[in-house]
C-alpha cells in the first residue's frame, strides 16, 4: 500500500510539475505558436483548416495576434446567408492575414470600404491551383458578384502546376514541406495535444532541432527560376512537341508546313532561342536548390523566423530578379531574331509565337507586320481558368498583383540582414501579369505604388507578410478597382479591312508621282501608295504647313526647308491642309465625288501665317539627313509620344508596337497607343472610333 501511495504521489508531482512547466512556457510564449497549427489533411487541396478553431500566433518579434475559423474552416465568423452582392477574396497567407487580427484582414477591410459582404477564402499553404478550386467550390454553392484573385509574388509563381498536396503534408496539425514530413507516425493517447498544443513539448523539440544551413536555399517544392521564365504550365512538353514538329515539317511542302505551324499555338516554347536563354540560367548555382534533406525534420514546425516555413525571402528575391532579367532578354532575342533571320521557317515560328502574321503591306516587298501580343506568362493558364470560372458562374473577376515586400521597398532588405538594393527590374513581372489580366478583360488592382507610399510599416517586422496598415492599403486599391469602370475590350490584331501600314522609305522612293493640280507650280511632289498619300513641298520660301481637317492619323511637319503631309485617304473623308509660303497661304484639299477622290490646290486662303500646333518647328540636328532634309520616319517625328524607340516601331512595321499603359491599346495604322473609349467612357482627346471589335480615341 505504501508503494502505491508513493507512486501516486510521484505521479501527482510529475503531473503538477509538467503542468507548471507547461504554464511557464505558455506564459513565455504568450500562448502563441510561430506557425498555424490547426490544419487537417485534404485529399484534393492538400490541407484545410479545422472548423471553429482558435489560435494565438506570434513570429519575427511581431505582436501576438489571434485568428479564428468559421464552420467552413475559413478565417473569421460564420459567413452570412447567400447574397447576390457577395465578394469572395482568395489567396494564401497574405489573404488569410497572418500577423493581423480577424478584423484587420484584406477581406474585413474591403467589406468596410464596399459595404458589401466579403468572404475570406485565403488559406496558408495554398497556391493558384487551390485558389481556383476554392472559387469553383464556393461559386457552386452561393452566388458571387465579384471574385478577387490575389496572386502573391512571394511564392505563387513557383506553385503553379505544383498542387499543395505535393508541396505540403499535415503533421499533427502543422503543415510541413513534403520533403521534411515523416513517412509515418505512431498514435498514442494525447499525441494530438502533445505535438500540436503543448508549449513545453514545442520548446523541447526546438531545443533538440539543429537547423541546417542549406535549408535557406529552399526545397524542390518551392520552385526555381525556371518557374519565372517559363511561358506555359507545360513548358517542357510544349518545347518537345514544337521541336519534333518543326524538325518534321520544315522541309515539307509549303501548305503542309503552314498547316503544321498553325497548330502550334501562341504559347509554344521558342525552339530557336529558349535553350540558349535557359543555358544562362544554369550557370548560376545560387538560383537552384541546395537543400538536401534526409529523413523527417521538425524545422518547419519549430522555426520561428517566418510565419510560414520557407526559404529565405532574399533567395526568392534573387530568383525573381534573375527571372525578370531572363524574360526581358528572351523577349529581346525573339524580336531581334525575327527581324534578322534569313530562315523563313524560323521567322515564321517566332512571328507566330510572338504575334500574328499580317500581310497588309505590298506582298512583293515581303515585309511582315507584327501585331505583337504580350509575351506568354507563367500565369496565363491560371488566368484562363479564372476567366472560364467567371463565365460559368457569372461573377466579375478581379486580379491583384501583390508584390514581395523587397520588390516594393529596397529598405525591406535590411530586416533580413541584407543591404538595400534596387529590385525595380522585377516590376516587369507585375506588369506582365497585369497586362495579361487586362487582355482577358479582368479588372486589375496594382497596389505597389500605394504600398510604397505607405512605407516600411506596411509590412511586418522580419517577415514578408502585410501588416494591418498593409492589409488596409491593399483593400483601398482593390475597392477602387471594383468601384471603377469595367475594363473595355481590347482591339483584335491586324488592321480593319481596306487599311494598311504606313509605307516605308523604299516604297515611297519607288512610287510614281500622281497628277495634282498646281502641285508643280508650288514645287510640291505628290505620291500615293494604297490608301496612303504623301506630299512634299520644298524651297526657300516655304514657311510651314497646318492641318485644317483630316483623319486623326494624318501627319504634317515642317523642318525649315520642306513641308510634308502624310495622310490616309479614306472613302468619303475630306482632307484640307494650309501650306504657308513667304508671300501666301494656299489650301490643299482631297475631296470626294461619289467614290472617287480628287486632289488639288484650291487657291489662296490668305497671307503667310504662323505655323499651328500640328507643325514641328525648330527641329533637332539628329532629325535631319546630311543634306539637311527631313528624315520622315525618325521616331521623334512620326512616333513622338508613342513610346517608340526605333523607326520601325514608329512606322508600325516589322518589329514591334509600343507597350501601352492601362486604358490604352495599340491601334491606328502605326499601332501607336490610343485611349480606349465607349459610349459611357468619352475621349479626352480625339474621336471615339470603332477599331477591330473595340473603340479608341483617334
Amino acid at each position: 500500500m505504501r508503494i502505491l501511495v508513493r507512486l501516486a504521489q510521484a505521479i501527482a508531482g510529475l503531473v503538477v510539475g509538467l503542468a507548471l512547466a507547461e504554464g511557464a512556457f505558455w506564459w513565455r510564449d504568450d500562448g502563441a505558436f510561430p506557425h498555424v497549427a490547426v490544419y487537417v489533411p485534404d485529399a484534393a487541396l492538400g490541407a484545410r483548416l479545422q472548423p471553429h478553431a482558435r489560435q494565438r500566433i506570434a513570429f519575427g518579434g511581431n505582436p501576438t495576434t489571434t485568428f479564428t475559423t468559421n464552420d467552413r474552416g475559413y478565417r473569421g465568423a460564420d459567413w452570412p446567408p447567400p447574397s447576390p452582392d457577395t465578394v469572395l477574396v482568395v489567396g494564401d497567407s497574405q489573404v488569410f492575414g497572418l500577423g493581423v487580427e480577424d478584423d484587420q484582414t484584406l477581406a474585413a477591410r474591403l467589406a468596410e470600404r464596399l459595404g458589401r459582404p466579403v468572404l475570406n477564402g485565403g488559406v496558408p499553404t495554398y497556391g493558384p491551383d487551390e485558389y481556383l478550386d476554392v472559387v469553383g467550390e464556393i461559386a457552386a454553392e452561393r452566388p458571387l458578384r465579384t471574385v478577387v484573385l490575389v496572386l502573391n509574388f512571394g511564392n505563387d509563381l513557383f506553385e503553379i502546376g505544383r498542387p499543395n498536396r505535393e508541396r505540403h503534408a499535415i503533421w499533427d496539425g502543422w503543415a510541413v514541406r513534403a520533403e521534411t514530413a515523416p513517412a509515418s507516425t505512431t498514435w498514442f493517447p494525447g499525441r494530438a495535444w502533445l505535438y500540436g498544443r503543448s508549449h513545453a513539448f514545442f520548446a523541447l523539440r526546438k531545443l533538440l532541432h539543429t537547423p541546417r544551413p542549406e535549408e535557406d536555399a529552399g526545397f524542390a517544392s518551392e520552385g526555381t527560376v525556371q518557374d519565372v521564365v517559363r511561358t506555359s504550365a507545360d513548358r517542357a512538353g510544349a518545347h518537345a512537341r514544337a521541336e519534333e514538329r518543326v524538325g518534321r515539317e520544315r522541309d515539307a511542302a509549303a501548305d503542309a508546313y503552314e498547316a503544321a505551324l498553325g497548330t502550334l499555338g501562341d504559347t509554344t516554347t521558342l525552339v530557336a532561342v529558349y535553350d540558349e536563354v535557359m543555358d544562362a540560367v544554369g550557370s548560376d548555382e545560387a538560383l537552384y536548390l541546395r537543400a538536401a534533406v534526409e529523413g523527417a525534420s521538425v524545422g518547419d514546425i519549430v522555426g520561428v523566423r517566418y510565419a510560414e516555413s520557407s526559404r529565405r525571402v532574399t533567395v526568392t528575391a534573387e530568383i525573381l530578379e534573375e527571372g525578370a532579367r531572363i524574360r526581358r532578354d528572351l523577349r529581346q532575342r525573339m524580336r531581334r531574331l525575327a527581324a534578322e533571320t534569313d530562315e523563313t521557317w524560323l521567322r515564321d515560328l517566332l512571328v507566330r509565337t510572338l504575334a500574328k502574321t499580317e500581310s497588309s503591306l505590298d506582298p512583293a516587298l515581303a515585309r511582315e507586320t507584327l501585331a505583337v501580343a504580350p509575351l506568354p506568362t507563367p500565369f496565363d493558364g491560371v488566368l484562363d481558368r479564372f476567366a472560364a470560372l467567371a463565365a460559368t458562374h457569372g461573377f466579375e473577376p478581379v486580379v491583384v498583383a501583390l508584390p514581395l515586400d523587397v520588390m516594393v521597398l529596397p529598405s525591406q532588405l535590411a530586416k533580413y540582414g541584407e543591404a538595400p538594393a534596387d529590385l525595380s527590374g522585377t516590376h516587369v513581372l507585375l506588369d506582365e501579369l497585369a497586362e495579361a489580366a487586362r487582355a482577358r478583360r479582368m479588372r486589375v488592382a496594382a497596389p505597389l505604388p500605394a504600398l510604397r507610399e505607405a512605407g516600411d510599416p506596411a509590412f511586418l517586422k522580419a517577415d514578408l507578410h502585410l501588416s494591418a496598415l498593409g492589409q488596409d492599403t491593399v483593400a483601398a486599391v482593390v475597392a477602387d478597382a471594383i468601384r471603377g469602370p469595367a475594363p473595355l475590350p481590347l482591339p483584335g490584331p491586324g488592321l480593319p479591312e481596306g487599311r494598311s501600314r504606313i509605307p516605308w522609305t523604299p516604297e515611297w522612293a519607288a512610287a510614281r508621282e500622281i497628277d495634282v493640280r498646281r502641285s508643280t507650280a508650288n514645287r510640291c511632289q505628290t505620291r500615293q501608295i494604297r490608301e496612303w498619300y504623301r506630299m512634299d513641298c520644298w524651297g526657300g520660301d516655304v514657311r510651314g504647313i497646318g492641318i485644317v481637317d483630316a483623319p486623326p492619323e494624318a501627319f504634317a511637319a515642317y523642318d525649315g526647308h520642306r513641308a510634308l503631309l502624310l495622310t490616309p485617304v479614306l472613302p468619303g473623308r475630306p482632307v484640307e491642309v494650309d501650306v504657308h509660303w513667304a508671300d501666301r497661304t494656299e489650301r490643299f484639299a482631297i475631296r470626294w465625288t461619289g467614290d472617287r477622290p480628287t486632289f488639288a490646290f484650291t487657291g489662296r486662303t490668305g497671307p503667310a501665317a504662323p505655323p499651328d500646333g500640328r507643325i514641328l518647328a525648330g527641329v533637332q540636328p539628329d532629325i535631319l539627313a546630311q543634306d539637311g532634309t527631313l528624315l520622315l520616319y525618325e521616331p521623334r517625328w512620326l512616333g513622338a509620344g508613342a513610346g517608340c524607340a526605333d523607326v520601325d516601331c514608329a512606322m508600325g512595321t516589322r518589329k514591334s508596337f509600343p507597350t501601352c499603359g492601362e486604358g490604352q491599346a495599340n491601334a491606328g495604322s502605326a499601332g501607336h497607343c490610343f485611349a480606349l473609349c465607349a459610349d459611357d467612357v468619352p475621349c479626352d482627346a480625339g474621336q471615339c472610333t470603332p477599331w477591330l471589335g473595340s473603340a479608341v480615341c483617334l
Side-chain angles (χ1 to χ4, degrees):
M1 179 63 70
R2 183 177 300 175
I3 295 176
L4 292 177
V5 170
R6 288 181 178 177
L7 180 61
Q9 290 174 338
I11 293 174
L14 179 61
V15 170
V16 171
L18 290 175
L20 290 174
E22 180 64 27
F25 281 107
W26 188 99
W27 178 84
R28 187 202 66 172
D29 296 340
D30 197 19
F33 288 116
H35 309 299
V36 175
V38 294
Y39 291 103
V40 292
D42 184 89
L45 300 175
R48 289 185 185 267
L49 298 175
Q50 297 173 16
H52 295 306
R54 178 183 179 88
Q55 183 190 324
R56 293 168 67 79
I57 190 166
F59 50 88
N62 294 285
T64 299
T65 56
T66 302
F67 70 80
T68 61
T69 61
N70 58 27
D71 59 348
R72 298 286 305 269
Y74 292 103
R75 184 160 189 184
D78 290 349
W79 288 345
S83 165
D85 216 25
T86 297
V87 179
L88 170 65
V89 186
V90 293
D92 59 9
S93 57
Q94 291 280 28
V95 171
F96 177 84
L98 278 181
V100 303
E101 301 290 348
D102 286 354
D103 61 354
Q104 296 174 329
T105 65
L106 166 60
R109 303 305 298 159
L110 188 60
E112 289 189 17
R113 291 180 175 275
L114 295 177
R116 295 165 54 184
V118 179
L119 313 180
N120 187 339
V123 178
T125 75
Y126 281 9
D129 294 340
E130 288 74 37
Y131 305 162
L132 299 180
D133 288 342
V134 169
V135 172
E137 179 182 288
I138 295 174
E141 299 173 358
R142 59 172 63 213
L144 299 173
R145 178 178 169 185
T146 306
V147 175
V148 180
L149 174 65
V150 180
L151 294 172
N152 172 18
F153 276 74
N155 45 32
D156 282 350
L157 266 171
F158 310 102
E159 295 174 348
I160 299 170
R162 288 189 177 93
N164 191 38
R165 62 181 180 272
E166 297 177 6
R167 291 184 282 109
H168 287 96
I170 306 307
W171 186 5
D172 297 309
W174 310 86
V176 301
R177 283 283 161 188
E179 294 91 339
T180 69
S184 62
T185 59
T186 301
W187 181 88
F188 56 84
R191 179 187 175 100
W193 179 87
L194 182 65
Y195 278 78
R197 296 292 181 268
S198 172
H199 289 264
F201 189 67
F202 181 88
L204 177 62
R205 299 178 82 186
K206 183 178 178 183
L207 178 66
L208 297 177
H209 172 66
T210 302
R212 301 184 182 192
E214 67 268 18
E215 290 177 6
D216 277 350
F219 304 109
S221 58
E222 293 181 90
T224 69
V225 71
Q226 295 194 42
D227 299 295
V228 185
V229 179
R230 65 183 176 186
T231 57
S232 69
D234 186 22
R235 178 187 58 78
H239 176 79
R241 289 193 301 274
E243 190 170 39
E244 178 185 358
R245 179 165 292 169
V246 170
R248 187 173 63 246
E249 301 289 352
R250 63 182 295 178
D251 297 324
D255 55 348
Y257 177 61
E258 286 290 323
L261 278 178
T263 65
L264 288 177
D266 288 340
T267 58
T268 300
T269 303
L270 295 174
V271 174
V273 296
Y274 194 88
D275 283 341
E276 178 187 356
V277 174
M278 292 309 295
D279 284 345
V281 181
S283 65
D284 191 345
E285 224 176 274
L287 299 178
Y288 283 93
L289 305 175
R290 296 190 293 265
V293 178
E294 297 178 3
S297 168
V298 297
D300 286 343
I301 297 172
V302 302
V304 295
R305 185 175 58 207
Y306 304 131
E308 284 189 295
S309 178
S310 63
R311 63 187 170 205
R312 288 183 61 84
V313 171
T314 50
V315 174
T316 297
E318 182 185 8
I319 290 173
L320 291 175
E321 186 175 27
E322 181 67 3
R325 184 195 65 76
I326 292 169
R327 286 184 65 80
R328 288 193 299 270
D329 185 48
L330 179 61
R331 184 185 294 106
Q332 291 168 358
R333 293 188 192 206
M334 287 189 296
R335 288 175 175 165
R336 184 170 63 247
L337 190 56
E340 296 174 355
T341 182
D342 293 327
E343 296 190 60
T344 301
W345 73 272
L346 177 56
R347 184 173 63 249
D348 286 348
L349 178 61
L350 290 161
V351 166
R352 280 174 164 79
T353 305
L354 270 175
K356 303 291 183 182
T357 299
E358 187 182 302
S359 56
S360 58
L361 296 178
D362 188 340
L365 296 172
R367 289 185 56 83
E368 299 86 350
T369 299
L370 306 187
V372 175
L375 185 69
T377 77
F379 286 112
D380 283 351
V382 175
L383 295 177
D384 288 340
R385 185 181 167 198
F386 191 34
L389 284 168
T392 298
H393 298 285
F395 60 76
E396 185 170 52
V398 179
V399 173
V400 181
L402 185 64
L404 189 62
D405 54 354
V406 295
M407 297 170 68
V408 178
L409 296 160
S411 56
Q412 285 289 297
L413 283 163
K415 69 186 183 184
Y416 303 116
E418 302 286 342
D422 181 11
L423 295 177
S424 60
T426 63
H427 296 175
V428 66
L429 303 174
L430 299 168
D431 295 339
E432 286 180 349
L433 170 58
E435 184 179 2
R438 292 189 185 104
R440 292 163 172 79
R441 299 194 63 186
M442 296 176 180
R443 296 178 186 265
V444 173
L448 186 144
L451 288 170
R452 183 184 292 123
E453 184 176 352
D456 290 321
F459 299 95
L460 297 178
K461 294 187 298 182
D463 192 84
L464 60 84
H465 287 89
L466 294 166
S467 66
L469 173 62
Q471 295 276 347
D472 189 55
T473 299
V474 175
V477 176
V478 174
D480 287 344
I482 292 175
R483 287 191 294 246
L488 296 173
L490 296 175
L495 290 168
E497 186 176 355
R499 296 302 312 274
S500 66
R501 301 295 179 198
I502 301 171
W504 67 306
T505 303
E507 290 183 272
W508 286 119
R512 298 179 59 183
E513 188 171 3
I514 64 172
D515 184 26
V516 174
R517 186 163 60 89
R518 288 187 51 77
S519 64
T520 301
N522 284 325
R523 298 184 64 186
C524 297
Q525 184 182 57
T526 55
R527 288 163 289 182
Q528 185 174 7
I529 298 176
R530 299 181 299 277
E531 81 275 25
W532 287 99
Y533 176 83
R534 173 175 170 170
M535 179 175 70
D536 298 85
C537 300
W538 61 92
D541 58 346
V542 176
R543 293 293 183 268
I545 184 171
I547 293 175
V548 178
D549 182 29
E553 297 169 81
F555 177 80
Y558 171 67
D559 65 357
H561 173 79
R562 177 176 56 171
L564 174 143
L565 169 68
L566 182 67
T567 182
V569 179
L570 306 178
R573 182 67 167 87
V575 175
E576 292 191 351
V577 177
D578 281 340
V579 183
H580 307 291
W581 282 269
D583 61 345
R584 70 192 187 283
T585 295
E586 288 203 29
R587 176 71 50 85
F588 169 78
I590 301 175
R591 292 172 179 160
W592 290 82
T593 302
D595 59 355
R596 296 182 63 84
T598 59
F599 305 80
F601 280 95
T602 61
R604 296 193 179 195
T605 58
D612 65 16
R614 294 302 299 271
I615 302 168
L616 183 60
V619 298
Q620 299 186 26
D622 60 350
I623 296 179
L624 304 178
Q626 291 183 354
D627 61 359
T629 57
L630 180 85
L631 295 178
L632 169 61
Y633 295 125
E634 277 291 336
R636 294 193 194 186
W637 284 79
L638 194 57
C644 289
D646 56 59
V647 174
D648 291 308
C649 172
M651 294 172 59
T653 59
R654 186 62 176 173
K655 290 184 181 176
S656 66
F657 293 159
T659 299
C660 299
E662 184 176 359
Q664 296 183 324
N666 297 114
S669 56
H672 293 167
C673 296
F674 294 92
L676 294 165
C677 59
D679 292 342
D680 57 344
V681 183
C683 295
D684 293 333
Q687 181 178 353
C688 194
T689 305
W691 192 269
L692 295 170
S694 179
V696 294
C697 298
L698 286 176

